[in-house]
Amino acid sequence: LKRPTAVKILKPALATEELIERFEREVTLASRLQHPATVEIFDHGRTRDGTFYYAREYIDGINLAQLVEKDGAQSAPRVAHILKQVCESLREAHGKGIVHRDIKPANIMTCERGGESDVAKVLDFGLVKDVRATDTRDITQFARMLGTPTYMAPERIRNPAEASPAVDIYAVGAVAFLLLTGKRVFDAPNELELARIVLEVEAPRASAVAKQAIPRGLDALIARCLAKDPSARPLR
């Protein structure tokens, strides 16, 4: 169709059994999702030399990490607009038993589509897990390697194989905190200390850190998303 396309490949030198399984899982599960805020998968397979690849829609935009780095904290209405789309994408995924497990600013892009600005796209399902499947093993080695404590729920730090919608909701709260304040929920000189803080220290309110006024309801919602107890997070 001669449309712009992004192609992701798995370099042969890295093609271990576990990485191949992770790569195939990513494309297989992501291709089940149809929400406009979820990246669309066009095709996947192997090249003639056996290299795994998949093709997805090309997104001409900026990810949320770049957005904050470039422009700082964003207005509450803009943050709510972007993250509403992200939550709708996750609602479809969760409804199909699919948990992303790597929601973070770098994996969410905003772009312009059909004359609409700030159209959100959820990317990179590399740590995705189908919680309804009983015949697939979890790749905990790569969950440890690729997850970042900054956006990981406490229960995933304790057990990297943890897969429930609540871990995605926690990450959405951490992304919202960054967008509204320009700062991460927690910071530390190294990942070990950061993991300890995520486990032990209650998250501050976005309203206590942001230089702008945060609507009371939004502030309370983010605090619920960042609750240590998964059952206290809003799942609907």
Side-chain angles (χ1 to χ4, degrees), residues 11-233:
K11 295 180 180 179
L14 300 177
T16 63
E17 179 186 348
E18 287 188 311
L19 266 179
I20 290 171
E21 182 179 340
R22 174 177 159 252
F23 198 84
E24 290 183 319
R25 177 186 296 179
E26 175 180 0
V27 66
T28 300
L29 294 182
S31 64
R32 297 181 190 173
L33 305 176
Q34 299 179 316
H35 193 277
T38 304
V39 64
E40 183 180 358
I41 306 296
F42 295 149
D43 193 17
H44 73 282
R46 293 184 187 232
T47 62
R48 290 180 180 177
D49 65 0
T51 301
F52 285 88
Y53 76 89
Y54 74 76
R56 65 162 174 80
E57 63 177 313
Y58 175 78
I59 302 168
D60 186 10
I62 186 172
N63 70 47
L64 300 187
Q66 295 167 330
L67 178 65
V68 172
E69 184 177 351
K70 176 175 175 284
D71 297 330
Q74 304 297 301
S75 69
R78 186 181 193 190
V79 172
H81 174 69
I82 292 172
L83 293 186
K84 179 177 183 291
Q85 298 171 74
V86 173
C87 288
E88 289 171 348
S89 167
L90 291 174
R91 179 174 60 186
E92 183 202 18
H94 295 165
K96 294 183 177 182
I98 296 171
V99 180
H100 189 288
R101 295 201 298 181
D102 200 21
I103 293 294
K104 58 186 178 183
N107 284 343
I108 303 168
M109 292 188 71
T110 178
C111 62
E112 183 176 320
R113 286 291 170 89
E116 293 289 329
S117 60
D118 277 343
V119 174
K121 289 285 182 176
V122 177
L123 313 174
D124 197 351
F125 284 72
L127 294 182
V128 68
K129 173 73 172 178
D130 184 351
V131 297
R132 294 179 181 174
T134 58
D135 58 347
T136 57
R137 62 192 177 92
D138 196 24
I139 309 174
T140 55
Q141 175 185 350
F142 293 100
R144 291 189 186 94
M145 290 174 61
L146 298 177
T148 168
T150 305
Y151 301 96
M152 283 176 67
E155 62 270 25
R156 273 211 63 218
I157 292 177
R158 295 189 187 94
N159 175 20
E162 177 67 29
S164 74
V167 304
D168 285 346
I169 298 303
Y170 180 94
V172 169
V175 171
F177 190 99
L178 176 75
L179 290 176
L180 289 167
T181 67
K183 300 179 183 299
R184 295 184 292 186
V185 180
F186 299 115
D187 219 337
N190 57 67
E191 287 199 349
L192 184 62
E193 178 63 13
L194 180 58
R196 184 195 67 78
I197 292 173
V198 172
L199 287 170
E200 299 177 1
V201 179
E202 289 298 322
R205 286 279 186 139
S207 57
V209 178
K211 294 182 179 180
Q212 62 176 313
I214 307 295
R216 187 174 300 175
L218 180 59
D219 190 45
L221 180 59
I222 294 169
R224 289 177 61 204
C225 290
L226 293 171
K228 301 294 186 194
D229 180 0
S231 66
R233 298 175 201 145

